Amino acid sequence: MLADRPGMKKRYLLKPVAPMDSTMITVVTLLMLYGLLILFSATYYQSVRKGDALLEVKRQLIGIGLGTVLLLITSRIPYTFWRKPKVVVGGLLASVVLLVLVIIPGIGVYLNGSRRWLSIAGMSFQPSEFAKIASVLYLASTLSYRKDQLGKLFKGVLPLLIVPGVFFILILEQPNLSTAGSIMIAAVLMMLLAGAKWKHLSLLGVCGLCLGMVYAWIEPYRRERLLSFRDPFAQMSDEGYQLAQSLIAIGSGGLFGRGLGRGRQKFSYLPYPESDFIFAIVGEDFGLLGCVVVLLLFAAFTFAGMRIAVNCPDRYGSLLAAGLTAMISLQAFLNIAVVIGLMPTTGLPLPFFSAGGTSISLLMASVGILLNVSRNKR
């Protein structure tokens, strides 16, 4: 070590930057590569009709390029930055404004009976994706210093659900029950990990399930969709058509699948094979083996994310990593459950697979935050 000399300013050596979690980087890379392969297969037929076989893949690559920039930025920003009140409140206010704008006729993009998108400079943006991240940031920050109050239902748990509840109501107006519900479920999971009592969260879960059933039952089309998933082949001319075609795709794939691009359901039989039901294309092209690989990759993602959370030395970082991991893993589980008929049909994309530039960009930004947390280990 060099000794200080008279008249010279002290020089300080920079602390070496700790490496990021290599498992998370590897798993996310594999998910994106597998996703691009499946997206190519799912969109090839429709893209050829539009004049470019790689049209949707190119759009996805643009989102991945933007997401890579966001990942590099968020992975370098100290994760404690997201705890600052100005950042948390700013994210919440921006989310509320965007969610209000998207449900206003003439501003929000109306497509397939829903207003879920805003068009900015010719690109579609889904505010609910941003709201999910803002909700995690808020809960991680609040739960990190309200540990002693989590044992109380009315003074501890319920107040924390006000912000996710506002997001739930606004997203429900689009309508988008699946995304709204995923925000609430992720919030409950974060409170569970933070130390809330099982009995309180179980009570809230039962109440939420009852409200969801009532909400689905009061509208005829939602009621038919709720009932159709029990036997979709009995309602193939109505609400059961999409799920029935999805099950046909997965069943026809068998053990090893028909082969890349050789599946038939994407030829205008299965609606939205590039987004909500892209997992069915995995089953038809690559069979049970391909589906298991997807499940193992998401299981590895969950393991890597939760390992980052456990190894983080402070409570906020642990909750932040756990919340982001739960948000992404939960979305994947719900999507796959819908595609194989374990849940009623809802519009929820499969992370890293479904087409959507803003979705993949924000996903990668979230992964960047996870990677920054991984730099700080016990």
Side-chain angles (χ1 to χ4, degrees):
M1 185 174 182
L2 295 175
D4 294 334
R5 296 181 182 179
M8 292 183 63
K9 294 182 179 180
K10 293 183 178 180
R11 297 180 180 179
Y12 296 91
L13 296 176
L14 293 176
K15 183 180 178 180
V17 178
M20 295 182 290
D21 189 277
S22 58
T23 303
M24 176 61 71
I25 296 174
T26 302
V27 171
V28 170
T29 301
L30 291 175
L31 281 169
M32 286 192 296
L33 291 175
Y34 198 4
L36 285 172
L37 184 66
I38 299 301
L39 182 63
F40 168 73
S41 175
T43 61
Y44 177 80
Y45 172 69
Q46 295 295 339
S47 296
V48 166
R49 297 180 63 183
K50 296 176 182 178
D52 186 355
L54 297 175
L55 180 62
E56 290 297 334
V57 175
K58 290 177 180 177
R59 291 176 178 175
Q60 191 80 341
L61 285 173
I62 293 174
I64 291 176
L66 176 59
T68 301
V69 174
L70 293 176
L71 184 147
L72 293 174
I73 293 174
T74 55
S75 64
R76 289 289 179 178
I77 298 176
Y79 66 88
T80 52
F81 169 81
W82 308 107
R83 189 180 186 179
K84 295 181 179 181
K86 291 182 180 179
V87 177
V88 175
V89 174
L92 295 179
L93 291 177
S95 298
V96 170
V97 171
L98 291 172
L99 289 175
V100 170
L101 287 175
V102 79
I103 60 177
I104 298 177
I107 298 179
V109 177
Y110 187 81
L111 183 65
N112 298 322
S114 302
R115 286 189 176 87
R116 303 179 184 180
W117 299 269
L118 290 174
S119 182
I120 302 175
M123 296 183 64
S124 297
F125 172 73
Q126 197 166 354
S128 58
E129 297 293 328
F130 183 78
K132 289 190 291 188
I133 300 176
S135 177
V136 171
L137 297 181
Y138 159 75
L139 287 169
S141 176
T142 307
L143 289 170
S144 63
Y145 64 84
R146 296 191 64 173
K147 180 179 180 180
D148 297 336
Q149 298 173 326
L150 283 176
K152 302 175 182 178
L153 178 61
F154 294 100
K155 293 184 179 180
V157 175
L158 289 180
L160 290 173
L161 290 176
I162 293 177
V163 170
V166 171
F167 288 165
F168 179 87
I169 294 173
L170 290 175
I171 296 174
L172 205 61
E173 288 297 315
Q174 296 179 3
N176 190 351
L177 178 60
S178 54
T179 301
S182 67
I183 288 180
M184 295 300 294
I185 297 173
V188 171
L189 287 175
M190 289 186 68
M191 286 189 287
L192 177 64
L193 295 172
K197 294 182 178 180
W198 273 96
K199 61 180 181 180
H200 292 162
L201 298 180
S202 299
L203 177 62
L204 293 176
V206 172
C207 293
L209 183 61
C210 293
L211 289 175
M213 293 291 291
V214 171
Y215 174 80
W217 200 263
I218 57 178
E219 286 289 339
Y221 84 93
R222 288 199 293 262
R223 182 167 62 248
E224 290 182 11
R225 179 174 293 185
L226 178 65
L227 296 175
S228 66
F229 91 101
R230 300 181 305 171
D231 187 7
F233 294 97
Q235 301 188 43
M236 284 196 66
S237 61
D238 197 4
E239 290 294 337
Y241 175 81
Q242 190 173 21
L243 179 55
Q245 296 297 334
S246 174
L247 295 178
I248 291 173
I250 295 174
S252 63
L255 185 59
F256 300 106
R258 293 176 175 270
L260 178 64
R262 296 185 178 182
R264 301 174 182 175
Q265 292 305 113
K266 56 178 170 287
F267 297 143
S268 299
Y269 293 106
L270 175 65
Y272 308 113
E274 77 286 354
S275 56
D276 301 343
F277 278 76
I278 196 169
F279 186 73
I281 304 301
V282 177
E284 188 172 24
D285 283 5
F286 295 105
L288 177 62
L289 181 62
C291 293
V292 170
V293 171
V294 174
L295 293 173
L296 289 177
L297 285 173
F298 277 112
F301 175 87
T302 304
F303 170 79
M306 289 304 177
R307 186 177 62 180
I308 292 172
V310 170
N311 289 331
C312 186
D314 66 275
R315 180 176 172 83
Y316 170 72
S318 295
L319 289 170
L320 179 61
L324 292 173
T325 303
M327 176 189 71
I328 298 172
S329 302
L330 176 66
Q331 183 173 328
F333 167 77
L334 292 176
N335 174 274
I336 294 173
V338 166
V339 172
I340 62 177
L342 293 180
M343 291 179 58
T345 303
T346 58
L348 198 65
L350 182 61
F352 303 108
F353 281 77
S354 297
T358 55
S359 175
I360 190 70
S361 298
L362 293 177
L363 278 173
M364 295 182 69
S366 302
V367 172
I369 298 176
L370 277 171
L371 293 176
N372 184 266
V373 177
S374 72
R375 292 177 181 270
N376 300 268
K377 299 180 181 180
R378 294 183 186 275

